[in-house]
Amino acid sequence: MNIKSPFILKQLIDHRQLFTQLVAYIEENDGDVEIPIRLYRGLVRQAVAAQATHGTEVECQRIRYTLAEDNLLRERLIVRIDQARGTLVLAPFVVDMLRHFDIGRMRGLSQAELEDLREGLNQSLAAIQRLPIDIADENFTDELRLLRRRIQDTLGKMQESIAALEAQGDHLADLVEQQDVGSIEGATETRKALEHINRIYQRYILPALEFLDPKTRFKQGIPAVTAIRRIAKLTADSAFPSLNEELQLSANAIHSYVNDIDTLRLSLERYVRQDRHQREQYDCIERAFNALKVATEERHDDSFRNMYIPVRHPAIQSPGTFLGIKRMRFARLDWHDIDHRADIEEYTDRRIEELRAERDRAGAITIDPARAGLSEAELREQLRQHEIQTLLEQWATPEDCRDLHAALHCYLESRLEGYTLNDLLEALDWVMALPDFRFHARFQHHVIVHGELALSYHPLIPHEAPAKETTP
């Protein structure tokens, strides 16, 4: 049974909610136009099953015959059927029709597609420059017909591209705004949505702006709008003013899409910056975590010495690095199935007994000079830290403090003997680690000079308290 293409297209349109899955398959496979026959037959069975719920057996049989692959091949709605590989290829206009019904499946014009449109218009310009502007000349009319088709193709694809980018941008923006970034799942979904927005921005928005900008310089050829206007200029002095007007209007229509693309760019730029800032934050946290992990592994050598990472270690120099990270539960690490507490107690008791026995035998204990010097330096550092912390416990932040560095510098300089800028950094680390720390950096540049050293910093100012509502 041979059923004509208008009836076939009507059935595809009536069941478009099913057959848009063919477009989804093409998009998921990076534009692969070959569709598995089993997928197409499965959609036909679903269409027949949907018709069977409120129709007769005759109507179901009509759908089955209408949407058969052989019938679509005869009507040129299917380009090719490969039985050996189990694939078929739909006609391009059928895919475009199905994509049109599902705007969420549409996608923007890529760099390669825009380049193909631009090259086609440049080819039309080169061909018309070689021909006389004469409607009676068949070669000219052929090139003019091809030029009109290329202009219509450009207008249609730009319109579809903008509609698709607007739909995808709005959907992804809603995903970002509605996700709970406090949960791991929400943060993951937000990151994926931001990455998708950034991909749309880089792959579709920026190339479209370059395509529509008449000032863009290409290695070969000229911008598409410029090519159309040059063709219009060639026809300006001819006996066909209507043709010149038609081409000028077409060039202006294509160029007008730059406003829509620029509006999309402005709406997505905030999310692109957010994605870039979030990637930088993740990189910073990952670097800090790796430094802390390496430092822990270096210190934990089963010798029970230096079990604590020093406060001045680079891995924990900046307390603000880990600010805002939620506490997460991790499985307890078992180092070689050893009970460290019992081992430490056993080691300490045994070592004390050995030292006492050695003292009783020799009357004195020999101390390694290098270790002794190192221990004295650590002790002096700990005493200095204790002295600074004692002073800070007695210090109250001034209410009108607009520079925390300068306030601490004046306070410590007047009360701490042998004060240095290193003591100021130690005090800042201690104050910034307090749970009630409510300061943030201003984007200004100040310098404190003390002795032969100078400290360059951004001033820390208190967070402004929210304004209270007053009732009349």
Side-chain angles (χ1 to χ4, degrees):
M1 182 183 296
N2 188 11
I3 301 176
K4 297 298 181 181
S5 58
F7 300 99
I8 301 174
L9 294 175
K10 182 179 182 302
Q11 290 294 344
L12 292 175
I13 294 171
D14 290 342
H15 300 87
R16 57 183 177 273
Q17 69 277 6
L18 292 174
F19 288 97
T20 50
Q21 297 181 37
L22 300 177
V23 182
Y25 175 84
I26 293 174
E27 298 296 337
E28 290 172 0
N29 290 272
D30 298 328
D32 188 0
V33 294
E34 292 188 341
I35 299 172
I37 295 178
R38 56 179 176 77
L39 174 61
Y40 177 80
R41 290 177 178 174
L43 296 177
V44 173
R45 285 195 296 269
Q46 292 180 40
V48 173
Q51 185 66 33
T53 58
H54 57 275
T56 62
E57 180 61 27
V58 175
E59 293 174 346
C60 295
Q61 198 71 9
R62 184 183 297 114
I63 293 177
R64 192 177 292 110
Y65 287 140
T66 302
L67 299 179
E69 303 101 84
D70 295 337
N71 191 43
L72 269 69
L73 183 62
R74 283 192 298 268
E75 292 299 316
R76 298 182 300 281
L77 301 181
I78 289 180
V79 178
R80 184 179 71 254
I81 297 179
D82 190 343
Q83 296 291 351
R85 297 172 57 227
T87 59
L88 58 86
V89 178
L90 287 173
F93 82 91
V94 177
V95 177
D96 292 338
M97 180 190 71
L98 295 173
R99 186 182 283 120
H100 178 76
F101 290 126
D102 188 2
I103 193 170
R105 297 295 181 186
M106 296 170 63
R107 60 181 178 84
L109 292 172
S110 65
Q111 181 76 48
E113 292 169 328
L114 291 171
E115 185 66 20
D116 184 59
L117 293 175
R118 189 183 68 84
E119 287 182 0
L121 293 171
N122 275 266
Q123 290 172 7
S124 292
L125 171 62
I128 291 177
Q129 284 176 336
R130 297 191 299 266
L131 297 173
I133 309 300
D134 186 4
I135 300 297
D137 187 351
E138 293 184 357
N139 292 330
F140 175 76
T141 55
D142 290 342
E143 290 296 337
L144 183 60
R145 189 181 303 110
L146 179 60
L147 172 63
R148 284 170 173 163
R149 188 164 68 243
R150 284 170 172 166
I151 291 175
Q152 293 170 2
D153 193 24
T154 303
L155 287 169
K157 288 186 176 180
M158 287 301 303
Q159 187 174 9
E160 289 183 355
S161 175
I162 291 172
L165 294 175
E166 285 179 348
Q168 293 182 19
D170 293 342
H171 173 66
L172 293 171
D174 291 340
L175 282 180
V176 173
E177 299 296 339
Q178 295 173 5
Q179 289 295 337
D180 178 17
V181 296
S183 64
I184 296 178
E185 294 80 5
T188 302
E189 293 298 325
T190 301
R191 186 170 69 253
K192 290 180 180 179
L194 288 174
E195 290 175 352
H196 196 179
I197 290 176
N198 186 53
R199 192 159 53 247
I200 290 175
Y201 184 84
Q202 300 293 337
R203 294 194 60 185
Y204 302 118
I205 300 294
L206 296 183
L209 288 174
E210 291 181 355
F211 174 81
L212 296 171
D213 187 2
K215 299 180 181 179
T216 304
R217 294 186 177 182
F218 297 95
K219 292 182 178 179
Q220 294 181 351
I222 57 178
V225 176
T226 305
I228 298 175
R229 286 175 177 165
R230 288 190 182 180
I231 297 174
K233 188 176 181 180
L234 293 175
T235 62
D237 300 331
S238 65
F240 310 102
S242 60
L243 180 58
N244 174 263
E245 182 180 1
E246 175 191 348
L247 294 175
Q248 289 287 1
L249 291 175
S250 299
N252 294 337
I254 294 176
H255 187 249
S256 66
Y257 286 120
V258 73
N259 298 322
D260 300 320
I261 296 292
D262 195 57
T263 302
L264 279 171
R265 178 187 66 82
L266 294 175
S267 64
L268 296 181
E269 257 186 359
R270 178 170 71 91
Y271 299 102
V272 173
R273 288 195 299 269
Q274 182 179 347
D275 177 54
R276 186 184 304 114
H277 181 62
Q278 192 178 69
R279 287 201 307 271
E280 291 174 355
Q281 287 180 331
Y282 276 115
D283 292 342
C284 181
I285 292 173
E286 186 175 0
R287 286 194 300 269
F289 179 80
N290 289 336
L292 187 62
K293 179 175 178 293
V294 171
T296 305
E297 291 176 348
E298 290 175 351
R299 294 288 172 174
H300 201 306
D301 57 356
D302 290 337
S303 64
F304 308 110
R305 295 192 307 271
N306 301 324
M307 296 298 291
Y308 297 98
I309 300 175
V311 178
R312 308 300 299 176
H313 194 281
I316 52 176
Q317 273 295 292
S318 178
T321 301
F322 297 94
L323 186 64
I325 300 178
K326 288 182 173 292
R327 185 181 298 277
M328 299 175 63
R329 294 184 177 274
F330 293 95
R332 182 178 178 274
L333 297 178
D334 293 328
W335 294 78
H336 314 294
D337 298 328
I338 297 175
D339 187 347
H340 292 295
R341 182 173 181 178
D343 284 355
I344 290 174
E345 292 176 354
E346 180 184 354
Y347 172 82
T348 304
D349 295 341
R350 185 175 69 253
R351 185 58 180 161
I352 290 174
E353 292 298 330
E354 291 176 356
L355 290 175
R356 285 176 179 172
E358 186 175 351
R359 183 191 60 185
D360 293 340
R361 290 195 303 270
I365 299 176
T366 302
I367 300 177
D368 184 3
R371 291 294 304 172
L374 182 60
S375 299
E376 290 176 2
E378 292 179 351
L379 179 60
R380 285 195 300 270
E381 184 179 357
Q382 291 176 3
L383 291 175
R384 189 66 167 182
Q385 292 173 0
H386 179 71
E387 187 177 0
I388 294 172
Q389 292 177 10
T390 303
L391 288 174
L392 292 176
E393 288 174 355
Q394 304 169 2
W395 180 67
T397 307
E399 294 183 358
D400 58 345
C401 177
R402 308 304 295 175
D403 189 340
L404 185 62
H405 290 74
L408 277 175
H409 172 69
C410 296
Y411 177 74
L412 295 176
E413 188 179 23
S414 61
R415 288 170 175 78
L416 193 61
E417 185 179 356
Y419 168 76
T420 64
L421 290 179
N422 187 57
D423 298 326
L424 174 59
L425 295 177
E426 189 70 41
L428 282 169
D429 286 347
W430 192 83
V431 171
M432 292 172 65
L434 295 177
D436 57 346
F437 183 75
R438 294 293 184 271
F439 285 78
H440 68 280
R442 293 185 63 185
F443 294 102
Q444 294 181 354
H445 185 257
H446 290 182
V447 177
I448 293 177
V449 179
H450 181 76
E452 298 179 354
L453 300 177
L455 174 66
S456 175
Y457 65 96
H458 297 293
L460 296 174
I461 63 173
H463 288 290
E464 297 294 338
K468 296 183 179 180
E469 296 183 358
T470 58
T471 57

